[in-house]
């Protein structure tokens, strides 16, 4: 696996303009006399900052590296906080950390103190043993046979080798401080990379107390509590250089510069991501996110190509669209008088007025729709299964095979310790720890559940409000546009209909409501989760993930579900219409256009999905940039050499514990759009692909330039999001089957072609006339009849019947206005299609999942090989160590050769491992 043994740095910020400062020291830093470990006293002489490099990540002696920085400001409550800081920093030094404080007179704002922290080798080695950090002990001797055929075709997309693979490939084992000579330690200063160093230091900071031994208040510990109560204002590791320029210090890696140059710039959008360098600089948790995002984007390419081909098929078969020709034909569609689509304000209309929408609908509602829906059901499975294999490979290469995320997250949250005053004995640690009584927990859970239901009800109420808007506004648009005033507009005029105007405005309003509610839901979800007082950070993140996704799911998808599965399905028929909120509301349920509701679902999907993605990218890039620009405005008035590395990073935005949470949430919501409703819009994967190409660079740019360097953290997977993606994948098969069956007109057309075509010619001639029922105008209720002046000029008393979209017996029939047998045949065909499609797709999904192993065979072999070598090398190491010890002990007592363990066959020694 690729093992990092060199230095690395990390962070992100918006800094001064990329201009060279003539006062930079030639070597990147100026050597000062070594300062004593401890806090910088105010009376101490100030250091000339003109002699310090803005890129310096070392103490004043230029030797000890800064692994972490704490900042604070004296305020009104200074004495109490000062006492906490004094005790906390004293306890940090007791565990071996070295501190150096920059006085506020040395900071740019004149009021901020900076405490620089360095972890010496002894501390790093001790905690690397505690955390079971894997380090190299032998170079990898397995030949790499993973070369792809025609690999030269990918050359334009490759990055330089030193960027893609910054370190050699090693076998690794968990570090053991008592066996230092077992591992490949060339240089103790560079053995642990900066990402590992800051993770170890943060582990110490989060567990170090700030109480006196005699007090015994063991709850007072951890940097998080000190940040929460304002004792410190920030705690962060440093970036290793400015992002636009390499560090002048030869001891600095300038990984940030390499990431910006080869990864974060938009013009690198076609290049592969340097995942090993990302992992080296930011840690595995951020690395796994970008690996997943990159893999998801690559897989979208295949879906986008197939979806585009399906769209092109719909475009090329434009002229074969018989039902649209009949609608547009003056002799057919021009002679069919349709019943009013709303009460009072809507008049009678001719079918050929929907000519354009019928042609538009064909682009998405054609035979290719069925194929693409089935393809996407299989694509989702391939995506999830191949990601598992990719994830397994990364787990091995990044030393995460035996990593248990739960063990890293078992530290109690400071909020849990503060709010839980009850104590009980932990059977594992045999120590008293805080706990939440079951009665309090149940009460909090009930209140949380009730709040969630209330806010989901609020979302549904907003959607109902938008539906009511559609019903009310459609009548207004129909009245205003009855004389086709928009036909005078060039290009777009003929395409603007009351249906389209209503759909577009309602979708825009719905999108605005979604954006407003999102801001509220985020605060509500965090408030609810805080109220539940989760015990650990892992539990907190999982609870918040479920709530936020549930809110977002209902918020973003409910309007699409309405158009797909409810609109036009419960309208009744002339003389017996169905009304929203009952007949007294006068809001008649919406009907689908004769061209079908699919085009409206497409419109809704395009506006919400595209609007969310565009707004999200602007917000992600612009907000942190503006905040950093405003925060660093004072520093722009001073020479850049006065603006130290820790001050530059301090002025950046903090990435936050939930930084990746929002990135995952955004992508998972997009994943839902392109899978749940993709049958209505084959171009959705293409839009998602374009967005994700931009998203990768926006995320990398803001992380590299706009944020402080996050604390490195381990993660062996994408966590709870993997289960959510699997749930969406299963639901998508059902929703797409229902869209093809009930929203699309595919099944009624096929039933007509094969069972009801009068000439038995297997074509669509006569379909439009067959799909429209007849109603006697005189039977229309007075409350539904058009008002005077609403009917078009061509309408007269000679017209006695109108047509409507349904399969019912005509007036005068013994079963007039009841459903015909054709209606039941179509319904049976729809249900049969749903069952067949679901079974076919699910069968293929499960077969593909069974065929593709989650762990590649070569990775499994490498894991066994590594365990074999660890066992063998440790055995030999212990034997050699015992030989030396026995020879030293017996050299003066016995002249015979000591008996050592007899040599055991290799297969006996290693049978346990293999």
């Amino acid at each position: 696996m690729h093992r990092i043994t060199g230095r690395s740095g990390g962070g992100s910020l918006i800094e001064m303009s990329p201009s060279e400062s003539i006062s930079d020291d030639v070597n990147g830093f100026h050597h000062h006399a070594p300062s004593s470990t401890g806090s910088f006293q105010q009376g101490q002489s100030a250091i000339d900052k003109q002699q310090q490099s803005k890129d310096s990540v070392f103490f004043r002696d230029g030797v000890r590296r800064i692994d972490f920085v704490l900042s604070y400001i004296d305020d009104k409550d200074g004495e109490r906080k000062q006492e906490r800081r004094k005790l906390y920093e004293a306890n940090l030094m007791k565990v071996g950390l070295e501190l150096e404080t920059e006085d506020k007179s040395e900071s740019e704002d004149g009021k901020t103190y900076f405490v620089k922290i360095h972890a010496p080798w002894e501390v790093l080695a001790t905690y690397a043993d505690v955390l079971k950090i894997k380090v190299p002990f032998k170079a990898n001797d397995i030949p790499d046979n993973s070369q792809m055929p025609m690999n030269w075709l990918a050359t334009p997309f490759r990055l330089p080798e030193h960027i893609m693979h910054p370190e050699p490939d090693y076998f690794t084992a968990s570090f053991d401080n008592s066996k230092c000579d077992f591992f490949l330690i060339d240089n103790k200063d560079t053995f642990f990379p900066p990402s590992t160093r800051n993770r170890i230091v943060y582990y110490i900071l989060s567990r170090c107390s700030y109480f006196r031994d005699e007090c015994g208040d063991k709850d007072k510990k951890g940097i998080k509590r000190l940040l929460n109560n304002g004792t410190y204002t920030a705690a962060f590791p440093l970036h290793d250089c400015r992002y636009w320029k390499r560090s002048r210090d030869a001891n600095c890696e300038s990984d940030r510069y390499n990431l910006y140059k080869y990864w974060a710039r938009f013009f690198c959008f076609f290049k592969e991501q340097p995942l090993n360098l990302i992992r080296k600089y930011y840690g595995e948790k951020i690395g796994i996110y970008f690996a997943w995002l990159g893999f998801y984007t690559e897989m979208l390419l295949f879906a986008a190509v197939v979806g585009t081909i399906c769209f092109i098929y719909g475009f090329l078969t434009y002229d074969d669209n018989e039902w649209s020709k009949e609608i547009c034909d003056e002799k057919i569609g021009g002679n069919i008088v349709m019943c009013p689509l709303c009460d009072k304000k809507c008049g009678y209309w001719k079918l050929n007025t929907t000519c354009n929408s019928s042609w538009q609908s064909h682009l998405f509602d054609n035979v290719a729709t069925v194929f693409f829906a089935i393809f996407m059901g299989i694509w989702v499975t391939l995506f999830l299964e191949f990601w598992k294999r990719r994830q397994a490979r990364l787990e091995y290469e990044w030393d995460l095979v035996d990593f248990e995320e739960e063990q890293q997250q078992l530290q109690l949250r400071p909020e849990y310790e503060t709010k839980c005053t009850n104590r009980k004995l932990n059977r594992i640690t045999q120590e008293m720890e805080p706990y939440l009584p079951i009665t309090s927990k149940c009460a909090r859970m009930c209140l949380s559940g009730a709040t969630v239901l209330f806010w989901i009800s609020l979302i549904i109420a907003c959607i109902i409000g938008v539906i009511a808007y559609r019903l009310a506004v459609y009548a207004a648009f129909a009245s205003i546009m009855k004389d086709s005033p928009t036909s005078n507009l060039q290009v777009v005029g003929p395409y603007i209909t009351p249906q389209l105007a209503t759909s577009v405005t309602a979708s825009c309003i719905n999108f605005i409501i979604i954006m407003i509610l999102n801001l509220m839901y985020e605060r509500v979800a965090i408030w609810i989760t805080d109220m539940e007082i989760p015990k650990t950070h892992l539990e907190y993140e999982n609870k918040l993930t479920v709530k936020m996704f549930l809110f977002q799911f209902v918020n973003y998808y409910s309007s699409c579900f309405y158009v797909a599965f409810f609109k036009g399905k419960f309208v009744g028929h002339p003389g017996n219409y169905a009304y929203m909120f009952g007949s007294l509301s006068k809001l008649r349920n919406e009907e689908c256009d004769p061209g079908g509701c699919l085009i409206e679902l497409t419109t809704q999907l395009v506006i919400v999905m595209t609007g969310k993605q565009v707004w999200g990218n602007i917000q992600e890039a612009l907000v942190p940039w503006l905040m950093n620009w405003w925060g660093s405005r004072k520093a722009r008035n001073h020479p850049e050499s006065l603006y130290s590395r820790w001050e530059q990073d301090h002025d950046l935005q903090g990435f936050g514990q939930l930084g990746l949470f929002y990135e995952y949430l955004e992508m998972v919501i997009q994943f839902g759009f392109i899978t749940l409703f993709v049958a209505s819009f084959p171009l959705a994967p293409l839009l998602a692909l374009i967005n994700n190409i931009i998203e990768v660079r926006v995320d990398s740019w803001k992380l590299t330039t706009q944020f402080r360097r996050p604390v490195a953290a381990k993660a062996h997977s994408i966590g709870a999001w993997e289960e959510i993606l699997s749930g969406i994948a299963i639901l998508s098969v059902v929703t797409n089957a229902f869209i093809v069956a009930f929203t699309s007109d595919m099944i009624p057309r096929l039933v007509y072609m094969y069972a009801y075509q009068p000439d038995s010619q297997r074509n669509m001639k006569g379909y439009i006339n067959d799909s429209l029922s007849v109603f006697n105008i005189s039977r229309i209720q007075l409350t539904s009849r058009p008002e005077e002046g609403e009917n078009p000029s061509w309408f007269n008393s000679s017209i006695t019947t109108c047509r409507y979209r349904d399969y019912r017996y005509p007036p005068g029939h013994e079963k007039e206005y009841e459903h015909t047998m054709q209606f039941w045949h179509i319904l049976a065909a729809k249900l049969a299609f749903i069952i067949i499609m679901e079974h076919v797709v699910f069968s293929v999904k499960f077969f593909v999942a069974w065929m593709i192993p989650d762990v590649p065979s070569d990775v499994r072999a490498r894991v066994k090989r590594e365990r074999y070598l660890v066992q063998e090398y440790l055995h030999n190491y212990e034997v050699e160590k015992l030989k030396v010890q026995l020879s030293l002990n017996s050299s003066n007592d016995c002249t015979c050769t000591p008996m050592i363990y007899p040599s055991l066959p290799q297969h006996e020694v290693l049978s346990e491992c293999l």
Side-chain angles (χ1 to χ4, degrees), residues 511 515 606-621 666 670 687 691 694-695 698:
F511 174 71
M515 292 295 102
V606 170
I607 291 176
V608 176
M609 178 181 172
T610 306
K612 179 188 182 300
Q613 293 181 162
V614 172
W615 173 252
N617 281 325
I618 293 174
Q619 190 178 31
E620 283 185 31
E666 179 185 6
Q670 182 206 82
L687 295 181
N691 173 80
I694 300 173
E695 180 76 23
V698 169

Side-chain angles (χ1 to χ4, degrees), residues 296 300 507 510-511 514-515 556-557 559-560 601-617 666-667 669-675 677-678 681-692:
Y296 171 45
L300 273 177
S507 298
N510 185 64
F511 174 71
I514 287 173
M515 292 295 102
Y556 279 108
Y557 302 145
S559 59
C560 294
L601 177 58
T602 303
T603 303
Q604 180 81 18
L605 192 64
V606 170
I607 291 176
V608 176
M609 178 181 172
T610 306
K612 179 188 182 300
Q613 293 181 162
V614 172
W615 173 252
N617 281 325
E666 179 185 6
M667 288 296 100
I669 292 297
Q670 182 206 82
F671 181 81
F673 276 123
I674 69 165
T675 53
F677 308 103
V678 75
F681 188 45
L683 293 181
L686 178 62
L687 295 181
L689 175 65
I690 295 171
N691 173 80
N692 286 10

Side-chain angles (χ1 to χ4, degrees), residues 24-32 51-63 247-252:
D24 275 351
D25 192 273
V26 175
N27 295 321
F29 62 87
H30 184 82
H31 288 274
H32 299 277
Q51 300 300 319
Q52 287 185 302
S53 167
K54 68 182 67 66
D55 284 335
S56 177
V57 292
F58 294 91
F59 277 19
R60 298 189 196 99
D61 57 17
V63 176
S247 173
R248 289 179 175 271
D249 188 349
N251 293 320
C252 285

